[in-house]
Amino acid sequence: MVTSGPVKSIYIHIPFCIQKCNYCNFVSFPDKQGMLKDYFIALGKEINCSINNPKTRFSTVYIGGGTPSVADSFFYEKLLSLIPVESDAEITMEVNPGTVNGQYLEELKKIGINRLSIGVQSFDNCTLKTLNRLHTAEEVQIALDLAKKAGFNNISIDLMYGLPGQTLSDWEQTLIKALEFDVQHISTYGLKIEEGTPFHLNMPENLPDEDEAAQMYLKTIEILEANSFIHYEISNFCRPGCESRHNLAYWDNEEYYGFGAAAHGYSGGVRYSNSENLEDYIANPLEKLHEKKLSEQEIIEELIFLGLRQMKGVNILAFNGKYDGIVAKYTAMGLMKHEDDIISLTPQGILLSNNILAEFIG
Ligand SMILES: C[S@@+](CC[C@H](N)C(=O)[O-])C[C@H]1O[C@@H](n2cnc3c(N)ncnc32)[C@H](O)[C@@H]1O
Ligand code: SF4
């Protein structure tokens, strides 16, 4: 019933950072930059062995981290030379404002990166310090100006809410400031206290409560939509036509290759992941840590799970009435919409999305 076309998207993980942010549990190492050169050699091997169909052309490449911008542009020039892409491919790189200058951004543009995802998080220096971010608010401004000057016209920024000491009015100011920069895409993330992070070990005392964080989320939708942004995924907003094509591929449950330590991929109906251990990955870049062929039922559950993250929703006609009871219940509660076989979450439903999605899967 569910078929997949050729793999058209690539994620490349760069697990290096200059310092760890207090909330972050992504696989990234602040103290292993000495291994950078060997890491890129291993990445080259993995990419070369995986792309073995000479006719393949990729439509999106996403270089994420970690902090990809800690590595010189020539490493990426080499990597990208191994990847055949379509002429209008979306090639994104995550950058940290504390690691870039004008020359570096111009080099990225020159080697074919055409979309930047900039980790802003906040425009308040005190908050940035609490988060242990590498950069100041002034450096954010400089990085954004330099990115535009280098010719980038597809820029996304990450912002966080529910932060220590943050009020609803502070968050509104953050959004208004973000709008001043006239970027094409904004991702907003509610702070999650992740196990093993400094915030988990030493919980900040002045965190907004759940209700306040929910108000911040609803305010995000209100302010960004009032300013012509389209709310197209739970956490993502864009100018018309500026969706992240790469992330849309994930949410549409398309297959993609994941390269690098801790990267996940999905190819031939198999979800796989690479070793999170840098030394192991460098020694054996072709070895998969986990591989799992998805059952038909798991594919359906993923279609629903990923589809409901998108505001356009998901068509339930193919599911033969299996979820009608759950859909009727949440529609009656005003948490879900059901129109022409398409189901989607309402903003109130998104606030409870973890519970609702669990019910579809459970
Ligand atoms: C992998 S990070 C990539 C960005 C880049 N490493 C940086 O920080 O500049 C993607 C985004 O996820 C968000 N994020 C990471 N950990 C989070 C957490 N514990 N709670 C909420 N958002 C988080 C941040 O907004 C971050 O920019
Ligand atoms: S820079 Fe990004 S990946 Fe690195 S520690 Fe901070 S949030 Fe995590």
Side-chain angles (χ1 to χ4, degrees):
M1 175 205 125
V2 183
T3 54
S4 58
V7 178
K8 302 290 280 177
S9 292
I10 289 178
Y11 173 78
I12 303 174
H13 192 67
I14 309 296
F16 302 97
C17 282
I18 304 230
Q19 66 191 36
K20 260 329 245 192
C21 303
N22 283 335
Y23 54 84
C24 178
N25 78 341
F26 281 81
V27 177
S28 70
F29 306 99
D31 50 1
K32 295 199 175 178
Q33 283 186 50
M35 297 168 80
L36 221 140
K37 196 168 162 215
D38 288 338
Y39 185 73
F40 275 86
I41 292 171
L43 268 178
K45 283 187 199 156
E46 193 190 5
I47 292 174
N48 266 334
C49 287
S50 308
I51 304 178
N52 41 27
N53 180 345
K55 286 197 185 142
T56 304
R57 293 285 175 277
F58 292 90
S59 56
T60 73
V61 179
Y62 192 105
I63 304 167
T67 304
S69 49
V70 295
D72 283 335
S73 63
F74 67 79
F75 286 113
Y76 296 108
E77 187 173 14
K78 267 208 135 145
L79 276 195
L80 291 175
S81 73
L82 306 175
I83 303 174
V85 293
E86 291 170 351
S87 58
D88 66 343
E90 175 191 274
I91 306 178
T92 305
M93 188 164 129
E94 286 178 353
V95 304
N96 181 312
T99 59
V100 291
N101 58 33
Q103 188 192 332
Y104 184 74
L105 291 167
E106 280 166 24
E107 286 165 8
L108 295 183
K109 187 81 182 42
K110 212 154 128 200
I111 63 170
I113 310 277
N114 54 27
R115 183 173 183 274
L116 295 181
S117 173
I118 303 183
V120 171
Q121 322 308 351
S122 166
F123 297 107
D124 176 64
N125 275 327
C126 189
T127 305
L128 289 169
K129 216 166 175 186
T130 306
L131 299 178
N132 200 34
R133 290 293 295 178
L134 184 64
H135 54 86
T136 61
E138 292 71 29
E139 283 166 327
V140 166
Q141 164 114 34
I142 292 169
L144 280 161
D145 288 345
L146 289 174
K148 285 185 194 169
K149 218 162 143 203
F152 285 98
N153 55 13
N154 197 357
I155 299 177
S156 178
I157 59 174
D158 289 345
L159 297 173
M160 292 171 76
Y161 62 90
L163 298 177
Q166 192 181 42
T167 63
L168 181 59
S169 147
D170 292 337
W171 175 238
E172 276 186 68
Q173 291 313 309
T174 305
L175 292 168
I176 288 163
K177 182 93 190 149
L179 287 166
E180 280 172 21
F181 288 108
D182 197 21
V183 290
Q184 287 69 35
H185 191 280
I186 301 179
S187 302
T188 61
Y189 299 108
L191 174 67
K192 272 212 244 135
I193 303 294
E194 303 280 5
E195 226 167 286
T197 60
F199 274 175
H200 187 253
L201 298 172
N202 200 356
M203 189 78 80
E205 278 165 18
N206 48 357
L207 283 176
D209 64 26
E210 232 176 74
D211 280 351
E212 287 167 318
Q215 289 310 314
M216 290 182 193
Y217 179 69
L218 295 175
K219 189 53 90 181
T220 312
I221 300 173
E222 182 190 318
I223 292 186
L224 295 185
E225 286 191 339
N227 284 278
S228 309
F229 272 81
I230 298 166
H231 183 204
Y232 73 104
E233 193 269 350
I234 289 185
S235 310
N236 287 281
F237 300 80
C238 69
R239 295 277 182 212
C242 297
E243 290 87 354
S244 160
R245 285 168 52 199
H246 184 81
N247 286 338
L248 279 181
Y250 291 157
W251 299 320
D252 285 338
N253 216 17
E254 287 168 19
E255 298 199 333
Y256 59 95
Y257 291 133
F259 296 132
H264 291 237
Y266 180 34
S267 149
V270 174
R271 290 228 175 249
Y272 63 85
S273 59
N274 288 347
S275 173
E276 296 189 358
N277 178 299
L278 205 50
E279 291 77 1
D280 287 352
Y281 174 76
I282 288 171
N284 261 319
L286 304 184
E287 197 169 283
K288 302 290 163 227
L289 183 65
H290 296 294
E291 286 182 295
K292 185 174 192 308
K293 176 103 186 145
L294 296 187
S295 67
E296 196 80 355
Q297 179 58 23
E298 284 169 324
I299 293 173
I300 289 171
E301 288 176 359
E302 289 199 349
L303 278 172
I304 295 180
F305 187 84
L306 295 166
L308 282 179
R309 290 194 61 90
Q310 302 185 66
M311 297 309 111
K312 71 174 185 194
V314 61
N315 191 318
I316 54 162
L317 202 57
F319 307 138
N320 297 326
K322 186 162 186 235
Y323 301 106
D324 285 359
I326 305 175
V327 171
K329 176 171 107 181
Y330 287 118
T331 308
M333 290 166 77
L335 301 177
M336 201 171 243
K337 279 188 292 187
H338 184 192
E339 283 166 7
D340 302 333
D341 300 320
I342 306 286
I343 56 167
S344 59
L345 295 175
T346 62
Q348 290 298 335
I350 295 171
L351 293 174
L352 298 168
S353 59
N354 285 346
N355 300 342
I356 299 175
L357 293 173
E359 208 165 320
F360 278 94
I361 286 169

